[in-house]
Structures are given as structure tokens and as C-alpha cells.
Amino acid sequence: MGQRHQLFVIARINGKYRTLAALHHQWLYGHTALRRCLGTLKILQDGENRLPLEEELKMASKSEDLIWKSPEDRNQRNEATIHFPFLMTCLIIGSSFSVEDGYFHGVHIEPFHMAYNQGDNNNDVTGITVFDISRPEKTRYCFVDYYGMESERPVQLMTPLSAQTYLEAYYMLDDAKHVDLVKLVEQFKDRALIDVDALEDTWPDQWQESEIENDQGAQSEPDISKLSLCENKDPSTLRSRTLDQLVQAVVNGGENDSQILSDAELFTDLYPKVREKLYEQAGTLESSPAVLDLLFNSLKTSEYVDLSPFTRLSTAEISSLGIRLLGTGYVKSMNLSGWNIADHDLRTILGHQRIHKVLLMGDDGVSLSSLTSSKPKGDLYHHELLKRPLLDNRTGEEFYARCQPPLPLIDFSAPENAVVQLVWVRLSEYVYLNEACFRSDGGIAWSKLGPDTREPRQMSRGSDRGEPKYYKLPLVDVPMPLTRVITGLSNVLQWMSKLDSVGTWEIHKGVASAFALGVPSDTLSCGVGPLSTELYLNNGTREIQSQGLEPGQWAIVLINDFYDSMDQSWIDERIKPKIEKAGRSSKIVMKKQVRYALVGPAKNSKGHFEVADVSKYLQMTSNEAVRHQLNEWWKKQVATQDDVQFYDEEDIQDILAKIYEPTAEGSVGSDGHAGESSMSS
């Protein structure tokens, strides 16, 4: 059942194409396959995701041959599935979630050894999608029909298909009603197509040879076995040769030879050349005060610093160098992969106000337990943290047979002004048909809302009993720097405002994806981050414990006034006539929208809440420069949208009183429920 489709990510690793990730999508074909391909391409090519992707490519180039061999035992094969969790996270979000389209559909991780034709595609075949990230900034793509798709028109088998060729198998693009699809195809015109040689190299023993040529636009990928830190080298001129000799002398002698250094500093590009030479010799560079000073002077004006290759230095020296570099005010991102940094140094680095991104990739290095007390100020890319929500996201009987006990909750929340929860309040059609649910002015009487007592067969669509309900979702098990809080909230609001309907299963995974997605780097610096394990693994069945709010903690409250309505036409055609018949239409805003508020316990007022919009919240939590940047971005992205509004009505306190119960002075406690709860009197 379904329109089954698999997605693969490949790359040339040490001269040989390898599969790095594979997913199964149960319902993907036609224009939706193009949209999810485009969304994934944008993520893989986004500059904000470049560093962790390139780090995993380096990890792949250093991997032993054994990991590329497919174990015969199915359980062992699943254990070996996720070697590159950041890449897998990018593929999951790109293929299953879209803010712009109001889209979510679950996906399942497949063993990355899987052949192109080993997926669950026996019926309703829709082909496969393949991405080549040998050079992430120039990610290539293609579709392939290897069996015979159930489309309107056939395509050539076993050849890379462009977006246009794939789409024309399902639609007549010259038909006036498909003008939007023509615009969709145009977004692929400058995107390179994978050549058939790359596919044959990826699956050499399985690929069935094709006698046809590549689809138009296919390009061969040059052999790149290593990522170069400095690609554009000077030509071999007398000046460059002289400088090369001086740089080597400086590196060999450190900064102790004052005459050599004095001569070398006549060249304005000395330290960039020194930096290049230091990285070339990183694995053999012996520690000395002079070498550490050279490293500092050559890196101090860089926004990104990679300290992972300097394996001959001590952990203490790497930590000290990293902290020293942060003090320059230039460094925003740092790669410390493979280093087991001491806890006190880790807190200094991760808690620095200017840090934007820290990479701690690979199985070696800092443990996850050491990170939770660090309270990162920026995004954190840690192998285990990225892998955590993906461990049980397997297919078929393996998932249900091998389901693990709930993983222990980890808490990255900051001590002050931290957003620790998202609360989703939903209303059903029943509320609008019950006169007792309204005040005399036409507003909803939240304090009077009780359970829907009708028989189950009478219940409105999308609600178990038709009663108002809420879901409390924790936002503490992944780092949530301020930029990610604001961009995540924007993503959630815009996604929910475009949804036709949303259920328990979608809301947990959708919120996890929205906060992990970030935004493109050309609008605000926030790339893909780790998925929340508590949200993503919930899957609509596992209960999640969400505590009350302590002083200094905040929650995002989302209110869906017409949760059970498919869209505005549903409200106008199905709900509005019923309300008009009840004689209350003049006092009710008949519009589908999502409203939000940021709330936290009010100081010295038991059971009362501070309520803020984004601007007010930023005023309390950020410095002027950050506040201005995020405020301006929010105004352009969200504040002007008519279907997303701040909930500024006074009855917000009545809503919150249904969610939280007062416990102690200045704090509000848990309602005693986990996951979904009824807002009953």
C-alpha cells in the first residue's frame, strides 16, 4: 500500500563511490517527490550545514573497509545503519518535512548498505532519488526508474532522470493547469545531474547496465578523495617560491628565529601561508610554545577554526588555544572533534557569548554526559546527540521487536530565561456548537470548558471526545540557543498554519523537525541541528514527562482555534452555517489561524504568568545587537502573516490555569499528566 520511494545519499570516498545514507518513504511520487528532492538539495547545499557535512565526509574517508561491507545478519545490518548521523538528519528533515508546503510524512531509515533495488518497492513503484555530496556545495541529484514506474508515461530504465523528465512521466507540463509545476521544474535548471558512471560505481555488482546515454545535464564528478582547506594556491612564481621557503623555515623554527620571521613578515600574506603549511603538517606537528604561537597568529582572524587535525598536541594545549582564540572576537565556529576536552574548559568554550557552532563529531572525544552541564550558547554537533533520536527509527518488525526502554532525559536548558516547553492547545468543532463555551461578548469561556459527553460515534473529526485538549512537549534535550528558539518558533507557526490537519503523531515529529531545521544561511545563520529525542521518538505512543515551570523558565503556547477544520473553506461551508443557526456568528471570528504566546511564572505572584510576544521576550533575554537582528528577521518572516498572530487576549491566564497548577511562590507545577491531557474543570 502506498507510493513507495527510497532516497539515497552517495559520495566519492577515497576514489570509490559509497552509499552514506538511505531512507524509505511510503508515499512519494510526482510533484511531491520533486518538492522533497528540492528541499533536501537546499539543506545539503546550505553553507550553514557545510562544516558538519564535511566533517562526516572526512570521517568516511578514514573509516575502515569493514563498515562498507553489508553484514548478512539483518540485526547486525541495522546496528551498522547510522555512521553519519548529521547527514541522516539532513536527509530525514528534507524528505519528510517542509515549512513552505505545510508538509509532514514519516520516513524510515534503511541500512545504508542497501542496494538501489532492495527497498520495499514491489507494488506502486515510484523510483528512487539519489543525492551525490562529494562536494556538498555542488550537490548533484537524479531520479531513477529501475523497474517500471506506475506513471502515466514510461521513462528510460536504469538512467539518471532530471526533474523535468521524471515529472513528465506523471503530468503534461504544457497543460495550463500545471503552470505551478513548470515553475517547480525551473528551480532545478542550475542543479547538476548525477551521471550513470557514479551510480554504477556505487552499486558495481548490482547495477544493470543501460545502453542509453545520460539524461541531459548529467555531469561527471571529479575524483576528490580529500577535502582541501586551501584550494587556490599561488602559481609557481619566484615570489611564491620564496615565500614557500620562508614559511617552511618559520614553521620549522617556530617564532624563535627572529631574523627569519622579520624577513617573512614583509610578505602581507605570510600567516595565511603559514596556516596552510600548518594544516598540511598537522598530523606530524610537534608541540612547542613557538608552534602554539604560530597557530594562534595564523588562526586568530578566522571565523572558523579547525583544531581536530593537530593530534600531536595535548588536550590541555588544544583547550587553551581554543579559549585564547575565542578571546580575539573573530572566531564563531570551532571544530574540536576527537578531543576529550576537560569539563571546565568545555563550559568556557561552549558558554562563550560569541560562539555560534561547535563540532564534537566522531565516537572518540567528549561524552554526551559531559555536555549537559556546559549550557551551550551556540549549536552543538555531537555524534551521540545526533544519533540518539535515530536509534529506534528502523523499519518493519525490527523496530517493534527491538524497541528500547525510554532513553534517560537529558537537560541542556539554561538557568535563566530558557524556553523549556511547547504547549499545543487545540479546540474542536464541538466547542463552537456549545453555547456554554462562550462568554457574553462572544469570546471563548476557557474557565468553563469541560469534557465533551457525547457518544464516541458522535465525535467531531480529529478529537477523541471532542473536548479541548493540550499537549506539553519538552524542549530541553537538545541545545536551544536563542536563534534556534526564534527560528524554530517561526517554523512551527508557519508549518501549522499551512497544515490541512495535524494529529498526535505529526505534532511531535513536526515540532522536532521545525526546531532542528533552522533557516537558510542567506537569511539568518542557523543550520540543521539535532532532532529532539523526546519528541521524535514519541511517535504518538510513548508518553513524555513534562515538568512544571520554575522561575526563569518559559513555555511557548500555541492555540489552534479551529483545530478540526481542514481549511478556511471547511470553516465557511461546514462550521459557519451551524454557528449561524445557533445565532452567535456575529460575535465569533470565523477564521483558521494559529496564535502563540511566550509565558513564564510571574515574580512574586503565585499562579500568575508573564506573557510576552517575541519582541518582548527578546528584550528580556538578549543584548541589543542580537535583539535587533532577530526582531528584524521576525518582522519580515512572521509578524506580517495574517494567519499567525500573538495571543494578546486577557483570557490567556484562564488557559494557563488549565495547564499548570500553582505549587510554590513564584513557580507553577505540572498538572500531573504526561503527554496529552484534557482541559476539564
Side-chain angles (χ1 to χ4, degrees):
M1 180 179 178
Q3 298 287 333
R4 299 159 184 166
H5 197 100
Q6 285 78 47
L7 302 96
F8 298 86
V9 179
I10 65 175
R12 179 168 285 188
I13 306 296
N14 298 329
K16 171 76 176 70
Y17 265 98
R18 305 287 192 181
T19 308
L20 304 181
L23 281 183
H24 173 84
H25 197 302
Q26 188 69 10
W27 201 277
L28 191 65
Y29 72 101
H31 70 86
T32 308
L34 256 69
R35 296 183 197 280
R36 301 286 54 79
C37 175
L38 183 62
T40 305
L41 282 169
K42 289 179 178 178
I43 288 174
L44 295 174
Q45 291 179 313
D46 186 359
E48 280 297 314
N49 300 322
R50 187 76 40 77
L51 298 180
L53 279 177
E54 290 186 343
E55 184 62 25
E56 288 195 333
L57 286 174
K58 287 193 287 184
M59 289 166 54
S61 69
K62 297 175 183 177
S63 297
E64 298 179 359
D65 290 341
L66 184 62
I67 78 160
W68 307 114
K69 297 180 180 179
S70 177
E72 295 182 2
D73 182 80
R74 191 171 179 82
N75 289 333
Q76 290 181 1
R77 184 174 64 188
N78 276 317
E79 289 295 338
T81 295
I82 310 166
H83 286 286
F84 312 106
F86 179 75
L87 173 58
M88 182 61 76
T89 301
C90 292
L91 183 59
I92 286 174
I93 295 176
S95 62
S96 67
F97 179 80
S98 171
V99 172
E100 295 81 2
D101 300 329
Y103 177 87
F104 176 81
H105 196 291
V107 294
H108 295 292
I109 294 173
E110 295 282 11
F112 77 102
H113 312 94
M114 187 176 75
Y116 68 90
N117 60 355
Q118 286 183 335
D120 183 10
N121 243 346
N122 294 330
N123 300 306
D124 301 318
V125 176
T126 67
I128 61 174
T129 304
V130 186
F131 303 95
D132 176 7
I133 63 162
S134 298
R135 290 187 293 177
E137 73 281 5
K138 296 183 179 180
T139 297
R140 303 187 299 165
Y141 82 99
C142 73
F143 300 94
V144 178
D145 180 6
Y146 62 83
Y147 182 80
M149 300 187 302
E150 294 190 353
S151 55
E152 294 295 322
R153 285 160 291 280
V155 295
Q156 180 64 53
L157 300 181
M158 303 304 296
T159 187
L161 304 176
S162 67
Q164 180 170 339
T165 303
Y166 180 82
L167 202 60
E168 286 176 337
Y170 290 93
Y171 315 97
M172 297 292 293
L173 295 186
D174 56 357
D175 191 321
K177 67 181 180 180
H178 293 320
V179 62
D180 288 343
L181 298 185
V182 174
K183 294 179 180 178
L184 176 61
V185 169
E186 288 176 353
Q187 296 187 65
F188 286 84
K189 65 180 181 180
D190 295 325
R191 301 184 184 275
L193 199 65
I194 298 174
D195 60 286
V196 71
D197 292 341
L199 301 177
E200 291 177 347
D201 191 29
T202 305
W203 295 286
D205 299 327
Q206 299 134 347
W207 194 265
Q208 301 172 15
E209 292 187 6
S210 173
E211 296 180 358
I212 52 81
E213 297 180 357
N214 288 316
D215 198 359
Q216 186 176 4
Q219 302 174 12
S220 296
E221 183 70 15
D223 186 357
I224 302 176
S225 59
K226 291 184 179 180
L227 294 171
S228 176
L229 292 166
C230 303
E231 295 182 355
N232 299 319
K233 298 183 179 181
D234 289 343
S236 296
T237 62
L238 176 61
R239 179 187 182 281
S240 66
R241 288 198 299 270
T242 302
L243 179 58
D244 287 342
Q245 293 171 359
L246 281 172
V247 165
Q248 188 61 60
V250 168
V251 171
N252 290 342
E255 293 190 337
N256 292 329
D257 194 324
S258 58
Q259 184 59 51
I260 293 178
L261 187 58
S262 177
D263 292 342
E265 285 180 340
L266 295 174
F267 294 89
T268 56
D269 51 348
L270 168 67
Y271 280 112
K273 283 287 187 179
V274 169
R275 180 172 65 245
E276 179 182 341
K277 187 65 67 175
L278 289 171
Y279 275 106
E280 286 178 359
Q281 301 178 14
T284 59
L285 203 62
E286 296 292 343
S287 172
S288 72
V291 165
L292 291 172
D293 283 341
L294 275 179
L295 278 169
F296 173 78
N297 286 322
S298 62
L299 297 173
K300 63 183 180 182
T301 59
S302 302
E303 289 192 352
Y304 168 60
V305 170
D306 183 4
L307 299 181
S308 63
F310 299 99
T311 54
R312 295 292 186 94
L313 303 185
S314 69
T315 303
E317 288 171 332
I318 289 292
S319 300
S320 177
L321 180 60
I323 294 170
R324 188 181 173 192
L325 287 166
L326 284 173
T328 65
Y330 287 95
V331 177
K332 295 180 179 179
S333 302
M334 188 173 292
N335 187 355
L336 296 170
S337 299
W339 291 103
N340 189 10
I341 307 296
D343 288 354
H344 62 280
D345 289 334
L346 198 61
R347 284 192 293 271
T348 300
I349 294 171
L350 297 181
H352 197 278
Q353 291 292 338
R354 286 190 55 84
I355 200 67
H356 171 61
K357 184 179 301 176
V358 176
L359 277 65
L360 295 164
M361 311 283 278
D363 293 321
D364 299 329
V366 177
S367 67
L368 184 58
S369 60
S370 297
L371 294 176
T372 54
S373 62
S374 62
K375 309 304 179 188
K377 296 290 186 181
D379 284 323
L380 180 61
Y381 296 87
H382 182 271
H383 195 75
E384 186 180 348
L385 183 63
L386 288 161
K387 195 172 182 178
R388 220 169 170 256
L390 312 179
L391 293 175
D392 285 335
N393 192 27
R394 302 191 178 101
T395 58
E397 67 272 9
E398 292 82 32
F399 172 79
Y400 297 103
R402 296 170 54 77
C403 228
Q404 301 294 321
L407 295 168
L409 178 66
I410 55 178
D411 188 349
F412 282 98
S413 61
E416 295 182 1
N417 295 319
V419 172
V420 298
Q421 293 176 10
L422 184 143
V423 184
W424 175 42
V425 181
R426 70 183 206 182
L427 298 179
S428 68
E429 175 185 333
Y430 168 74
V431 171
Y432 292 87
L433 303 179
N434 185 348
E435 188 173 1
C437 295
F438 288 84
R439 304 189 304 262
S440 59
D441 63 356
I444 296 173
W446 290 94
S447 61
K448 298 179 180 179
L449 292 182
D452 185 348
T453 57
R454 294 179 293 169
E455 295 295 325
R457 58 186 172 82
Q458 298 176 303
M459 293 302 97
S460 58
R461 213 171 27 83
S463 177
D464 295 338
R465 292 175 294 175
E467 64 190 15
K469 294 184 178 181
Y470 68 87
Y471 291 84
K472 294 168 65 177
L473 311 179
L475 298 175
V476 299
D477 68 324
V478 292
M480 293 288 278
L482 186 58
T483 300
R484 190 163 296 279
V485 170
I486 302 304
T487 58
L489 174 57
S490 168
N491 288 337
V492 170
L493 289 171
Q494 295 185 72
W495 172 66
M496 293 186 72
S497 70
K498 295 179 176 67
L499 284 171
D500 287 338
S501 61
V502 61
T504 309
W505 190 75
E506 289 93 345
I507 190 66
H508 291 91
K509 290 183 179 288
V511 169
S513 300
F515 277 95
L517 175 61
V519 295
S521 58
D522 59 349
T523 58
L524 188 70
S525 297
C526 188
V528 167
L531 290 159
S532 164
T533 301
E534 294 300 308
L535 297 181
Y536 202 78
L537 284 190
N538 180 272
N539 203 27
T541 58
R542 170 182 163 186
E543 290 187 340
I544 47 180
Q545 298 292 336
S546 189
Q547 302 300 317
L549 295 177
E550 298 295 333
Q553 293 184 330
W554 290 76
I556 297 169
V557 178
L558 304 181
I559 301 172
N560 279 67
D561 287 8
F562 280 93
Y563 161 75
D564 283 330
S565 303
M566 293 291 287
D567 50 30
Q568 189 64 43
S569 63
W570 180 274
I571 296 172
D572 295 337
E573 297 171 9
R574 300 291 296 273
I575 301 177
K576 189 174 181 179
K578 297 179 183 180
I579 296 178
E580 288 176 342
K581 187 176 181 180
R584 298 192 305 278
S585 62
S586 61
K587 296 180 179 180
I588 299 175
V589 177
M590 300 299 295
K591 185 174 182 181
K592 184 178 177 71
Q593 63 179 355
V594 182
R595 294 190 284 177
Y596 84 95
L598 287 142
V599 304
K603 295 180 179 179
N604 304 318
S605 182
K606 185 177 180 180
H608 196 75
F609 293 83
E610 293 280 357
V611 180
D613 62 3
V614 164
S615 179
K616 182 178 178 181
Y617 177 72
L618 290 173
Q619 188 76 26
M620 294 182 287
T621 58
S622 59
N623 60 48
E624 185 175 353
V626 173
R627 179 167 62 249
H628 177 75
Q629 181 190 28
L630 291 175
N631 254 326
E632 290 301 309
W633 181 86
W634 181 265
K635 289 176 183 177
K636 293 178 182 178
Q637 297 295 319
V638 184
T640 57
Q641 295 193 22
D642 197 36
D643 51 2
V644 174
Q645 298 289 332
F646 169 57
Y647 195 98
D648 57 356
E649 299 182 31
E650 293 182 1
D651 62 6
I652 185 71
Q653 298 293 337
D654 292 331
I655 300 174
L656 298 174
K658 292 290 183 179
I659 300 172
Y660 300 102
E661 294 179 358
T663 56
E665 191 72 20
S667 65
V668 288
S670 171
D671 62 332
H673 295 276
E676 179 181 17
S677 300
S678 301
M679 293 177 62
S680 306
S681 297

